[in-house]
Amino acid sequence: MPRVSQDQLDARRQEILGAARACFARHGYEGATVRRLEEATGLSRGAIFHHFRDKDSLFLAVAEDDAAVMVSTVARHGLVQVMRDLLARAVSPDTTGWLGSQLEVSRRLRTDPAFARRWAQRSAAIAEATRDRLVRQREAGVLREDIDIDVLAQFLELAYDGLVLHLAMGRPAGDLGPVLDLVEEAVRRR
């Protein structure tokens, strides 16, 4: 029997995550039945759950994957850049799936206490990356000094959440670049 390399396993896992992301976004967590996940991935339940313990673990892996990308971007370029990237890709099917997953995470945070406990660590990583980036920007003299860092972080998080909701509701992306310029200008040193 031929051995499967770790690279092949990792590639298959990423394929499953991508297809599952779209399925969860389209149907919600409850509506993304195992049958629909099989159809979306083109794999059997055995193949899917070889990589993930159960549907809940698969959903959490999708959300964690998205959060890891976001933390990395925030750490390097800030939360406004995450918003700019999101806006630039707003019409992409991958982005639509990602937005749906974000809304599903939000819904489960409100309705599933076990999920909320498990998600707290991921949420904290995003908040910490945002705060660390703001501290570095303030130390570099780029960020305004008259407002507490935590308030600036909350402002940026609210702007991000508003953009996600706007796009996820199917509202047109239009030219929101000037709006993001305004958000960025609001936190910059005057």
Side-chain angles (χ1 to χ4, degrees), residues 108-136:
R108 290 199 62 204
L109 287 172
R110 288 188 329 276
T111 62
D112 183 344
F115 179 83
R117 283 190 298 276
R118 290 199 327 259
W119 185 252
Q121 184 179 8
R122 281 76 179 179
S123 180
I126 295 169
E128 182 179 340
T130 299
R131 190 176 191 296
D132 289 349
R133 169 76 180 177
L134 291 173
V135 168
R136 288 192 314 272

PDB file of all heavy atoms in Angstrom, residues 108-136:
ATOM      1  N   ARG A 108     -22.684  31.479  16.630  1.00  0.00           N
ATOM      2  CA  ARG A 108     -22.387  30.405  17.577  1.00  0.00           C
ATOM      3  C   ARG A 108     -21.822  30.953  18.881  1.00  0.00           C
ATOM      4  O   ARG A 108     -22.016  30.357  19.935  1.00  0.00           O
ATOM      5  CB  ARG A 108     -21.428  29.395  16.944  1.00  0.00           C
ATOM      6  CG  ARG A 108     -22.169  28.618  15.842  1.00  0.00           C
ATOM      7  CD  ARG A 108     -21.546  27.348  15.440  1.00  0.00           C
ATOM      8  NE  ARG A 108     -21.490  26.408  16.534  1.00  0.00           N
ATOM      9  CZ  ARG A 108     -20.605  25.430  16.579  1.00  0.00           C
ATOM     10  NH1 ARG A 108     -19.714  25.286  15.623  1.00  0.00           N
ATOM     11  NH2 ARG A 108     -20.598  24.578  17.587  1.00  0.00           N
ATOM     12  N   LEU A 109     -21.135  32.074  18.822  1.00  0.00           N
ATOM     13  CA  LEU A 109     -20.647  32.693  20.059  1.00  0.00           C
ATOM     14  C   LEU A 109     -21.805  33.084  20.961  1.00  0.00           C
ATOM     15  O   LEU A 109     -21.704  33.008  22.182  1.00  0.00           O
ATOM     16  CB  LEU A 109     -19.773  33.912  19.747  1.00  0.00           C
ATOM     17  CG  LEU A 109     -18.396  33.608  19.179  1.00  0.00           C
ATOM     18  CD1 LEU A 109     -17.712  34.899  18.738  1.00  0.00           C
ATOM     19  CD2 LEU A 109     -17.540  32.850  20.181  1.00  0.00           C
ATOM     20  N   ARG A 110     -22.902  33.506  20.349  1.00  0.00           N
ATOM     21  CA  ARG A 110     -24.082  33.914  21.118  1.00  0.00           C
ATOM     22  C   ARG A 110     -24.913  32.731  21.592  1.00  0.00           C
ATOM     23  O   ARG A 110     -25.592  32.822  22.600  1.00  0.00           O
ATOM     24  CB  ARG A 110     -24.980  34.825  20.274  1.00  0.00           C
ATOM     25  CG  ARG A 110     -24.446  36.196  20.030  1.00  0.00           C
ATOM     26  CD  ARG A 110     -25.476  37.109  19.356  1.00  0.00           C
ATOM     27  NE  ARG A 110     -26.418  36.460  18.464  1.00  0.00           N
ATOM     28  CZ  ARG A 110     -26.182  36.162  17.179  1.00  0.00           C
ATOM     29  NH1 ARG A 110     -25.030  36.443  16.641  1.00  0.00           N
ATOM     30  NH2 ARG A 110     -27.111  35.581  16.443  1.00  0.00           N
ATOM     31  N   THR A 111     -24.900  31.628  20.840  1.00  0.00           N
ATOM     32  CA  THR A 111     -25.852  30.549  21.109  1.00  0.00           C
ATOM     33  C   THR A 111     -25.236  29.258  21.625  1.00  0.00           C
ATOM     34  O   THR A 111     -25.972  28.362  22.039  1.00  0.00           O
ATOM     35  CB  THR A 111     -26.646  30.214  19.827  1.00  0.00           C
ATOM     36  OG1 THR A 111     -25.731  29.761  18.812  1.00  0.00           O
ATOM     37  CG2 THR A 111     -27.421  31.424  19.332  1.00  0.00           C
ATOM     38  N   ASP A 112     -23.906  29.146  21.605  1.00  0.00           N
ATOM     39  CA  ASP A 112     -23.257  27.878  21.961  1.00  0.00           C
ATOM     40  C   ASP A 112     -22.138  28.158  22.970  1.00  0.00           C
ATOM     41  O   ASP A 112     -21.013  28.476  22.594  1.00  0.00           O
ATOM     42  CB  ASP A 112     -22.702  27.230  20.687  1.00  0.00           C
ATOM     43  CG  ASP A 112     -22.071  25.876  20.910  1.00  0.00           C
ATOM     44  OD1 ASP A 112     -21.761  25.522  22.063  1.00  0.00           O
ATOM     45  OD2 ASP A 112     -21.865  25.165  19.900  1.00  0.00           O
ATOM     46  N   PRO A 113     -22.441  28.047  24.272  1.00  0.00           N
ATOM     47  CA  PRO A 113     -21.444  28.368  25.298  1.00  0.00           C
ATOM     48  C   PRO A 113     -20.152  27.544  25.183  1.00  0.00           C
ATOM     49  O   PRO A 113     -19.065  28.066  25.424  1.00  0.00           O
ATOM     50  CB  PRO A 113     -22.161  28.068  26.616  1.00  0.00           C
ATOM     51  CG  PRO A 113     -23.612  28.126  26.293  1.00  0.00           C
ATOM     52  CD  PRO A 113     -23.738  27.692  24.863  1.00  0.00           C
ATOM     53  N   ALA A 114     -20.244  26.283  24.789  1.00  0.00           N
ATOM     54  CA  ALA A 114     -19.036  25.454  24.652  1.00  0.00           C
ATOM     55  C   ALA A 114     -18.156  25.989  23.528  1.00  0.00           C
ATOM     56  O   ALA A 114     -16.932  26.070  23.663  1.00  0.00           O
ATOM     57  CB  ALA A 114     -19.416  23.998  24.400  1.00  0.00           C
ATOM     58  N   PHE A 115     -18.785  26.364  22.418  1.00  0.00           N
ATOM     59  CA  PHE A 115     -18.029  26.944  21.307  1.00  0.00           C
ATOM     60  C   PHE A 115     -17.397  28.262  21.741  1.00  0.00           C
ATOM     61  O   PHE A 115     -16.228  28.531  21.447  1.00  0.00           O
ATOM     62  CB  PHE A 115     -18.931  27.160  20.089  1.00  0.00           C
ATOM     63  CG  PHE A 115     -18.211  27.770  18.919  1.00  0.00           C
ATOM     64  CD1 PHE A 115     -17.479  26.981  18.047  1.00  0.00           C
ATOM     65  CD2 PHE A 115     -18.252  29.139  18.705  1.00  0.00           C
ATOM     66  CE1 PHE A 115     -16.803  27.541  16.976  1.00  0.00           C
ATOM     67  CE2 PHE A 115     -17.578  29.712  17.639  1.00  0.00           C
ATOM     68  CZ  PHE A 115     -16.848  28.908  16.767  1.00  0.00           C
ATOM     69  N   ALA A 116     -18.156  29.084  22.451  1.00  0.00           N
ATOM     70  CA  ALA A 116     -17.648  30.379  22.904  1.00  0.00           C
ATOM     71  C   ALA A 116     -16.416  30.204  23.785  1.00  0.00           C
ATOM     72  O   ALA A 116     -15.444  30.963  23.656  1.00  0.00           O
ATOM     73  CB  ALA A 116     -18.741  31.145  23.652  1.00  0.00           C
ATOM     74  N   ARG A 117     -16.430  29.208  24.653  1.00  0.00           N
ATOM     75  CA  ARG A 117     -15.253  28.962  25.507  1.00  0.00           C
ATOM     76  C   ARG A 117     -14.047  28.559  24.660  1.00  0.00           C
ATOM     77  O   ARG A 117     -12.938  29.025  24.888  1.00  0.00           O
ATOM     78  CB  ARG A 117     -15.564  27.882  26.540  1.00  0.00           C
ATOM     79  CG  ARG A 117     -16.400  28.370  27.706  1.00  0.00           C
ATOM     80  CD  ARG A 117     -16.484  27.335  28.820  1.00  0.00           C
ATOM     81  NE  ARG A 117     -17.131  26.095  28.392  1.00  0.00           N
ATOM     82  CZ  ARG A 117     -18.451  25.896  28.355  1.00  0.00           C
ATOM     83  NH1 ARG A 117     -19.265  26.874  28.722  1.00  0.00           N
ATOM     84  NH2 ARG A 117     -18.945  24.745  27.966  1.00  0.00           N
ATOM     85  N   ARG A 118     -14.275  27.692  23.674  1.00  0.00           N
ATOM     86  CA  ARG A 118     -13.155  27.250  22.835  1.00  0.00           C
ATOM     87  C   ARG A 118     -12.658  28.380  21.936  1.00  0.00           C
ATOM     88  O   ARG A 118     -11.483  28.444  21.613  1.00  0.00           O
ATOM     89  CB  ARG A 118     -13.578  26.044  21.994  1.00  0.00           C
ATOM     90  CG  ARG A 118     -13.775  24.820  22.854  1.00  0.00           C
ATOM     91  CD  ARG A 118     -13.740  23.518  22.103  1.00  0.00           C
ATOM     92  NE  ARG A 118     -14.237  23.497  20.771  1.00  0.00           N
ATOM     93  CZ  ARG A 118     -15.437  23.055  20.401  1.00  0.00           C
ATOM     94  NH1 ARG A 118     -16.273  22.608  21.299  1.00  0.00           N
ATOM     95  NH2 ARG A 118     -15.784  23.059  19.141  1.00  0.00           N
ATOM     96  N   TRP A 119     -13.549  29.263  21.534  1.00  0.00           N
ATOM     97  CA  TRP A 119     -13.179  30.334  20.610  1.00  0.00           C
ATOM     98  C   TRP A 119     -12.483  31.491  21.329  1.00  0.00           C
ATOM     99  O   TRP A 119     -11.773  32.281  20.699  1.00  0.00           O
ATOM    100  CB  TRP A 119     -14.409  30.845  19.874  1.00  0.00           C
ATOM    101  CG  TRP A 119     -14.055  31.857  18.846  1.00  0.00           C
ATOM    102  CD1 TRP A 119     -14.282  33.195  18.899  1.00  0.00           C
ATOM    103  CD2 TRP A 119     -13.365  31.618  17.619  1.00  0.00           C
ATOM    104  NE1 TRP A 119     -13.785  33.807  17.780  1.00  0.00           N
ATOM    105  CE2 TRP A 119     -13.216  32.851  16.978  1.00  0.00           C
ATOM    106  CE3 TRP A 119     -12.856  30.475  17.007  1.00  0.00           C
ATOM    107  CZ2 TRP A 119     -12.583  32.981  15.747  1.00  0.00           C
ATOM    108  CZ3 TRP A 119     -12.230  30.604  15.784  1.00  0.00           C
ATOM    109  CH2 TRP A 119     -12.097  31.848  15.166  1.00  0.00           C
ATOM    110  N   ALA A 120     -12.632  31.607  22.615  1.00  0.00           N
ATOM    111  CA  ALA A 120     -12.087  32.739  23.375  1.00  0.00           C
ATOM    112  C   ALA A 120     -10.601  32.924  23.128  1.00  0.00           C
ATOM    113  O   ALA A 120     -10.117  34.056  22.990  1.00  0.00           O
ATOM    114  CB  ALA A 120     -12.371  32.558  24.859  1.00  0.00           C
ATOM    115  N   GLN A 121      -9.856  31.842  23.046  1.00  0.00           N
ATOM    116  CA  GLN A 121      -8.406  31.936  22.820  1.00  0.00           C
ATOM    117  C   GLN A 121      -8.103  32.541  21.448  1.00  0.00           C
ATOM    118  O   GLN A 121      -7.197  33.357  21.316  1.00  0.00           O
ATOM    119  CB  GLN A 121      -7.775  30.552  22.939  1.00  0.00           C
ATOM    120  CG  GLN A 121      -6.275  30.563  22.812  1.00  0.00           C
ATOM    121  CD  GLN A 121      -5.695  29.156  22.967  1.00  0.00           C
ATOM    122  OE1 GLN A 121      -6.415  28.165  23.030  1.00  0.00           O
ATOM    123  NE2 GLN A 121      -4.382  29.094  23.014  1.00  0.00           N
ATOM    124  N   ARG A 122      -8.856  32.164  20.436  1.00  0.00           N
ATOM    125  CA  ARG A 122      -8.621  32.695  19.081  1.00  0.00           C
ATOM    126  C   ARG A 122      -8.970  34.174  19.033  1.00  0.00           C
ATOM    127  O   ARG A 122      -8.252  34.971  18.456  1.00  0.00           O
ATOM    128  CB  ARG A 122      -9.458  31.935  18.051  1.00  0.00           C
ATOM    129  CG  ARG A 122      -8.894  30.604  17.656  1.00  0.00           C
ATOM    130  CD  ARG A 122      -9.140  29.641  18.725  1.00  0.00           C
ATOM    131  NE  ARG A 122      -8.646  28.298  18.440  1.00  0.00           N
ATOM    132  CZ  ARG A 122      -8.764  27.325  19.310  1.00  0.00           C
ATOM    133  NH1 ARG A 122      -9.320  27.530  20.487  1.00  0.00           N
ATOM    134  NH2 ARG A 122      -8.319  26.136  19.020  1.00  0.00           N
ATOM    135  N   SER A 123     -10.059  34.525  19.663  1.00  0.00           N
ATOM    136  CA  SER A 123     -10.481  35.914  19.706  1.00  0.00           C
ATOM    137  C   SER A 123      -9.449  36.768  20.437  1.00  0.00           C
ATOM    138  O   SER A 123      -9.132  37.890  20.019  1.00  0.00           O
ATOM    139  CB  SER A 123     -11.844  35.999  20.399  1.00  0.00           C
ATOM    140  OG  SER A 123     -12.284  37.316  20.459  1.00  0.00           O
ATOM    141  N   ALA A 124      -8.920  36.230  21.513  1.00  0.00           N
ATOM    142  CA  ALA A 124      -7.900  36.945  22.283  1.00  0.00           C
ATOM    143  C   ALA A 124      -6.640  37.170  21.447  1.00  0.00           C
ATOM    144  O   ALA A 124      -5.995  38.216  21.550  1.00  0.00           O
ATOM    145  CB  ALA A 124      -7.561  36.181  23.557  1.00  0.00           C
ATOM    146  N   ALA A 125      -6.289  36.204  20.588  1.00  0.00           N
ATOM    147  CA  ALA A 125      -5.094  36.353  19.743  1.00  0.00           C
ATOM    148  C   ALA A 125      -5.262  37.500  18.759  1.00  0.00           C
ATOM    149  O   ALA A 125      -4.326  38.269  18.517  1.00  0.00           O
ATOM    150  CB  ALA A 125      -4.813  35.044  19.001  1.00  0.00           C
ATOM    151  N   ILE A 126      -6.455  37.646  18.190  1.00  0.00           N
ATOM    152  CA  ILE A 126      -6.715  38.755  17.265  1.00  0.00           C
ATOM    153  C   ILE A 126      -6.646  40.084  18.008  1.00  0.00           C
ATOM    154  O   ILE A 126      -6.010  41.040  17.555  1.00  0.00           O
ATOM    155  CB  ILE A 126      -8.077  38.580  16.568  1.00  0.00           C
ATOM    156  CG1 ILE A 126      -8.051  37.330  15.680  1.00  0.00           C
ATOM    157  CG2 ILE A 126      -8.437  39.821  15.749  1.00  0.00           C
ATOM    158  CD1 ILE A 126      -9.418  36.912  15.165  1.00  0.00           C
ATOM    159  N   ALA A 127      -7.282  40.141  19.166  1.00  0.00           N
ATOM    160  CA  ALA A 127      -7.271  41.377  19.965  1.00  0.00           C
ATOM    161  C   ALA A 127      -5.845  41.727  20.383  1.00  0.00           C
ATOM    162  O   ALA A 127      -5.451  42.906  20.337  1.00  0.00           O
ATOM    163  CB  ALA A 127      -8.171  41.221  21.182  1.00  0.00           C
ATOM    164  N   GLU A 128      -5.068  40.723  20.773  1.00  0.00           N
ATOM    165  CA  GLU A 128      -3.689  40.977  21.195  1.00  0.00           C
ATOM    166  C   GLU A 128      -2.831  41.467  20.027  1.00  0.00           C
ATOM    167  O   GLU A 128      -2.036  42.395  20.177  1.00  0.00           O
ATOM    168  CB  GLU A 128      -3.083  39.698  21.780  1.00  0.00           C
ATOM    169  CG  GLU A 128      -1.672  39.890  22.298  1.00  0.00           C
ATOM    170  CD  GLU A 128      -1.098  38.614  22.903  1.00  0.00           C
ATOM    171  OE1 GLU A 128      -1.870  37.701  23.264  1.00  0.00           O
ATOM    172  OE2 GLU A 128       0.135  38.545  22.992  1.00  0.00           O
ATOM    173  N   ALA A 129      -3.016  40.864  18.850  1.00  0.00           N
ATOM    174  CA  ALA A 129      -2.257  41.306  17.672  1.00  0.00           C
ATOM    175  C   ALA A 129      -2.606  42.746  17.326  1.00  0.00           C
ATOM    176  O   ALA A 129      -1.727  43.549  16.980  1.00  0.00           O
ATOM    177  CB  ALA A 129      -2.532  40.384  16.487  1.00  0.00           C
ATOM    178  N   THR A 130      -3.874  43.089  17.429  1.00  0.00           N
ATOM    179  CA  THR A 130      -4.309  44.464  17.148  1.00  0.00           C
ATOM    180  C   THR A 130      -3.684  45.429  18.154  1.00  0.00           C
ATOM    181  O   THR A 130      -3.108  46.457  17.776  1.00  0.00           O
ATOM    182  CB  THR A 130      -5.846  44.565  17.200  1.00  0.00           C
ATOM    183  OG1 THR A 130      -6.404  43.700  16.214  1.00  0.00           O
ATOM    184  CG2 THR A 130      -6.313  45.993  16.965  1.00  0.00           C
ATOM    185  N   ARG A 131      -3.774  45.078  19.410  1.00  0.00           N
ATOM    186  CA  ARG A 131      -3.225  45.949  20.463  1.00  0.00           C
ATOM    187  C   ARG A 131      -1.706  46.089  20.312  1.00  0.00           C
ATOM    188  O   ARG A 131      -1.171  47.187  20.412  1.00  0.00           O
ATOM    189  CB  ARG A 131      -3.583  45.395  21.831  1.00  0.00           C
ATOM    190  CG  ARG A 131      -3.273  46.360  22.937  1.00  0.00           C
ATOM    191  CD  ARG A 131      -3.735  45.837  24.295  1.00  0.00           C
ATOM    192  NE  ARG A 131      -3.675  46.862  25.295  1.00  0.00           N
ATOM    193  CZ  ARG A 131      -2.562  47.467  25.715  1.00  0.00           C
ATOM    194  NH1 ARG A 131      -1.412  47.159  25.188  1.00  0.00           N
ATOM    195  NH2 ARG A 131      -2.600  48.397  26.651  1.00  0.00           N
ATOM    196  N   ASP A 132      -1.001  44.984  20.069  1.00  0.00           N
ATOM    197  CA  ASP A 132       0.452  45.036  19.898  1.00  0.00           C
ATOM    198  C   ASP A 132       0.838  45.927  18.725  1.00  0.00           C
ATOM    199  O   ASP A 132       1.787  46.706  18.803  1.00  0.00           O
ATOM    200  CB  ASP A 132       1.033  43.631  19.694  1.00  0.00           C
ATOM    201  CG  ASP A 132       0.997  42.784  20.951  1.00  0.00           C
ATOM    202  OD1 ASP A 132       0.710  43.325  22.053  1.00  0.00           O
ATOM    203  OD2 ASP A 132       1.242  41.563  20.841  1.00  0.00           O
ATOM    204  N   ARG A 133       0.107  45.802  17.636  1.00  0.00           N
ATOM    205  CA  ARG A 133       0.380  46.635  16.461  1.00  0.00           C
ATOM    206  C   ARG A 133       0.162  48.113  16.803  1.00  0.00           C
ATOM    207  O   ARG A 133       0.964  48.969  16.420  1.00  0.00           O
ATOM    208  CB  ARG A 133      -0.536  46.204  15.314  1.00  0.00           C
ATOM    209  CG  ARG A 133      -0.552  47.117  14.128  1.00  0.00           C
ATOM    210  CD  ARG A 133       0.648  46.991  13.269  1.00  0.00           C
ATOM    211  NE  ARG A 133       0.526  47.918  12.140  1.00  0.00           N
ATOM    212  CZ  ARG A 133       1.430  48.092  11.245  1.00  0.00           C
ATOM    213  NH1 ARG A 133       2.536  47.385  11.287  1.00  0.00           N
ATOM    214  NH2 ARG A 133       1.260  48.949  10.280  1.00  0.00           N
ATOM    215  N   LEU A 134      -0.891  48.418  17.537  1.00  0.00           N
ATOM    216  CA  LEU A 134      -1.150  49.803  17.918  1.00  0.00           C
ATOM    217  C   LEU A 134      -0.054  50.345  18.837  1.00  0.00           C
ATOM    218  O   LEU A 134       0.367  51.497  18.689  1.00  0.00           O
ATOM    219  CB  LEU A 134      -2.524  49.924  18.586  1.00  0.00           C
ATOM    220  CG  LEU A 134      -3.722  49.703  17.665  1.00  0.00           C
ATOM    221  CD1 LEU A 134      -5.019  49.668  18.469  1.00  0.00           C
ATOM    222  CD2 LEU A 134      -3.784  50.761  16.567  1.00  0.00           C
ATOM    223  N   VAL A 135       0.413  49.533  19.767  1.00  0.00           N
ATOM    224  CA  VAL A 135       1.506  49.953  20.651  1.00  0.00           C
ATOM    225  C   VAL A 135       2.751  50.265  19.828  1.00  0.00           C
ATOM    226  O   VAL A 135       3.406  51.296  20.021  1.00  0.00           O
ATOM    227  CB  VAL A 135       1.790  48.881  21.734  1.00  0.00           C
ATOM    228  CG1 VAL A 135       3.101  49.155  22.455  1.00  0.00           C
ATOM    229  CG2 VAL A 135       0.633  48.814  22.727  1.00  0.00           C
ATOM    230  N   ARG A 136       3.078  49.381  18.886  1.00  0.00           N
ATOM    231  CA  ARG A 136       4.258  49.622  18.027  1.00  0.00           C
ATOM    232  C   ARG A 136       4.090  50.888  17.197  1.00  0.00           C
ATOM    233  O   ARG A 136       5.032  51.659  17.028  1.00  0.00           O
ATOM    234  CB  ARG A 136       4.515  48.413  17.112  1.00  0.00           C
ATOM    235  CG  ARG A 136       5.053  47.201  17.838  1.00  0.00           C
ATOM    236  CD  ARG A 136       5.579  46.123  16.891  1.00  0.00           C
ATOM    237  NE  ARG A 136       4.722  45.802  15.775  1.00  0.00           N
ATOM    238  CZ  ARG A 136       3.742  44.894  15.782  1.00  0.00           C
ATOM    239  NH1 ARG A 136       3.475  44.223  16.882  1.00  0.00           N
ATOM    240  NH2 ARG A 136       3.037  44.665  14.695  1.00  0.00           N
TER     241      ARG A 136
END
